[in-house]
Amino acid sequence: MPVAIRVIPCLDVNAGRVVKGTNFIDLRDAGDPVEIAKRYNTEGADELVFLDITASSDKREITLDVVKKTAEQVFIPLTVGGGIRTIDDIRKLLKAGADKISINTSAVENPQLISDGSKKFGSQCIVVAIDAKRNTAGSWTVYTHGGRTETKLDVIEWAKKCVELGAGEILLTSMDKDGTKDGYDLELTEHVTNAVNVPVIASGGAGKKEHFVDVCKKGASAVLAASLFHFKELSIHDLKSYMKENSIKVR
Amino acid sequence: MTAKIAIIDYGMGNLRSVSKAIELCKAYVDIISEPEQVKNYNAVVLPGVGSFAPAIKIIKDKGLDIAIKKHLEQKKMFLGICLGFQLLFSKSYEEGLYEGLDIIKGSVEKFIPKPDEKLIIPHIGWNTINISENIYAKQMYRGINNNEFVYFVHSFYCKPEDKKIIATETNYSVDFCSSIATENIWGCQFHPEKSSNIGIAILKNFVSKCEDLNACCN
């Protein structure tokens, strides 16, 4: 039997607080990450992703402290991403209580970080996040720097390469779908899950319960959403009941 | 009487998560790294995230293997988690062939997909446990229903020679031994410290067994 599909809320953390939206211009405070993490844990979240969007490096220490405090009170896996550039950054986060770290731009700029990280800490704790945007050739291109920089990399090829280098999971975000609430990019998810033999976390576009079921049927091992959960449009409990009714194995 | 539990730090593992989870179960917890410290505790927890070869090397180089074996001879409680569970076995095939602590006879082997099977390795995520009839399993899983979900992250699994010690089995391509329980040795492939309320319930059972033993022996 396969493992249960994981339902993962994603929290954007800026200088120690959860903020709404990923837009740097209009950050609104959405609360204390530890309290929010505890709430999601109680509601049945299978894992949490913290995305550190703190721009200044001195304030990153605050994020380490948040990871520490969350890990002390929340006993489910915790993945932390954002601003990780070195093995030492990874080590610090794992020591603070993160179970996995997620790298995006730095993996593209320095693919050796994937191999060094997985050799040092095991592939299970190295997640590579890929921001994918559909191109005119009918495929998808990898973007970095929070979607601001186009690369020459093809998403499918890059996903394969990441796994070869030792990535234990792929966190796949569709930039086309992100924020639209009209469903995950099913075609993209299917292509990537067929190409790699590690779990793929589908992200970007979830708007209603049906979307989660649809993307699971395309091979996603986990489903991620942010605003849908933050704004209480959908509770994790209701979502899981619905998934179960639709023959998706959930915890 | 409060149980005094030592978590062994051998440089690999999520010590903080483990210690916080056990503290939640009202035990006194220290993280220790020297073999001579082991004797001061009622119970030892060997956590672990990482690969077998460097872990067993550190443990043997530091003499922690001898301290652990001495601890077990006194029938004191022991809990091995993930890699800390695998290290108990005679041998592991992770990246070669390495000798383990040989406290449990058996081997640690890799998941191999069957022909035409798409098996994602590592086995990562939430999977169910099927509790055996082993009497010590009843203690380990007291108050816990069959087929509850716990959190796994591993590419290798343990194959004990003595099937009677198996406390739970989990299916992932094969039915593998996801935990063992003997009179004083508990080991689990999953991470109780990451398995939400079910994991905490297992750790509480461990702490309460340590307290019982402590009360009877002092």
Side-chain angles (χ1 to χ4, degrees), chain A residues 1-4 6 41 45-47 68 71-72 74-78 95-97 99-100 119 121 123-124 168-169 193-199 221 249-251, chain B residues 14 16-17 20-22 24 49-51 113 118-128 149-155 171-173 192-197 200:
Chain A
M1 271 227 296
V3 292
R6 284 169 282 153
N41 179 34
D46 298 307
E47 186 169 327
K68 225 176 254 178
E72 279 174 9
V74 179
F75 300 101
I76 56 174
L78 180 60
K95 205 161 177 228
D99 297 287
K100 310 175 195 176
K119 270 193 205 108
F121 309 106
S123 64
Q124 82 289 336
E169 277 185 87
T193 55
N194 283 339
V196 298
N197 205 23
V198 300
S221 297
K249 185 180 174 184
V250 288
R251 178 168 70 103
Chain B
N14 52 344
R16 194 179 182 89
S17 307
K20 289 294 162 186
I22 299 175
L24 195 71
V49 174
S51 33
K118 183 177 161 127
L119 188 71
I120 291 174
I121 298 167
H123 172 221
I124 183 166
W126 297 81
N127 207 339
T128 51
F149 283 91
V150 290
Y151 187 77
F152 291 89
V153 184
H154 63 124
S155 301
N171 184 276
Y172 194 65
S173 181
E193 76 284 5
K194 289 290 161 187
S195 297
S196 198
N197 53 335
I200 299 297

Side-chain angles (χ1 to χ4, degrees), chain B residues 10-208:
Chain B
Y10 54 100
M12 298 172 82
N14 52 344
L15 303 167
R16 194 179 182 89
S17 307
V18 176
S19 67
K20 289 294 162 186
I22 299 175
E23 277 169 21
L24 195 71
C25 305
K26 311 257 181 275
Y28 175 85
V29 185
D30 279 330
I31 293 173
I32 64 163
S33 55
E34 299 306 323
E36 51 272 23
Q37 294 172 288
V38 172
K39 62 178 186 302
N40 304 328
Y41 296 86
N42 312 116
V44 161
V45 176
L46 192 63
V49 174
S51 33
F52 195 94
I56 197 71
K57 185 173 187 315
I58 296 167
I59 285 173
K60 287 183 177 172
D61 285 353
K62 291 200 79 165
L64 283 162
D65 54 333
I66 296 160
I68 290 169
K69 284 177 182 169
K70 220 173 195 174
H71 174 89
L72 293 174
E73 275 165 20
Q74 298 166 49
K75 296 289 171 198
K76 286 179 170 180
M77 285 300 291
F78 178 96
L79 172 65
I81 299 173
C82 195
L83 179 60
F85 167 48
Q86 296 183 353
L87 290 167
L88 291 174
F89 284 74
S90 317
K91 58 186 175 182
S92 168
Y93 290 97
E94 183 173 353
E95 287 162 39
L97 175 59
Y98 294 92
E99 279 178 24
L101 293 170
D102 199 27
I103 290 164
I104 305 286
K105 298 286 173 208
S107 56
V108 183
E109 305 190 7
K110 194 173 174 61
F111 283 112
I112 309 229
K114 293 170 187 149
D116 300 323
E117 181 185 36
K118 183 177 161 127
L119 188 71
I120 291 174
I121 298 167
H123 172 221
I124 183 166
W126 297 81
N127 207 339
T128 51
I129 43 173
N130 190 2
I131 305 167
S132 78
E133 293 300 316
N134 167 349
I135 54 159
Y136 302 112
K138 300 288 172 222
Q139 299 174 355
M140 189 169 179
Y141 295 96
R142 194 179 60 204
I144 298 167
N145 293 330
N146 206 18
N147 288 317
E148 286 284 5
F149 283 91
V150 290
Y151 187 77
F152 291 89
V153 184
H154 63 124
S155 301
F156 292 79
Y157 65 94
C158 298
K159 257 175 112 168
E161 280 175 16
D162 179 5
K163 304 291 174 221
K164 291 194 294 292
I165 65 170
I166 294 174
T168 59
E169 282 191 318
T170 295
N171 184 276
Y172 194 65
S173 181
V174 291
D175 285 325
F176 71 92
C177 164
S178 47
S179 67
I180 60 149
T182 71
E183 189 183 357
N184 64 326
I185 303 171
W186 292 7
C188 48
Q189 184 58 64
F190 54 85
H191 288 271
E193 76 284 5
K194 289 290 161 187
S195 297
S196 198
N197 53 335
I198 299 299
I200 299 297
I202 295 165
L203 293 174
K204 276 190 179 148
N205 288 340
F206 180 74
V207 169
S208 93

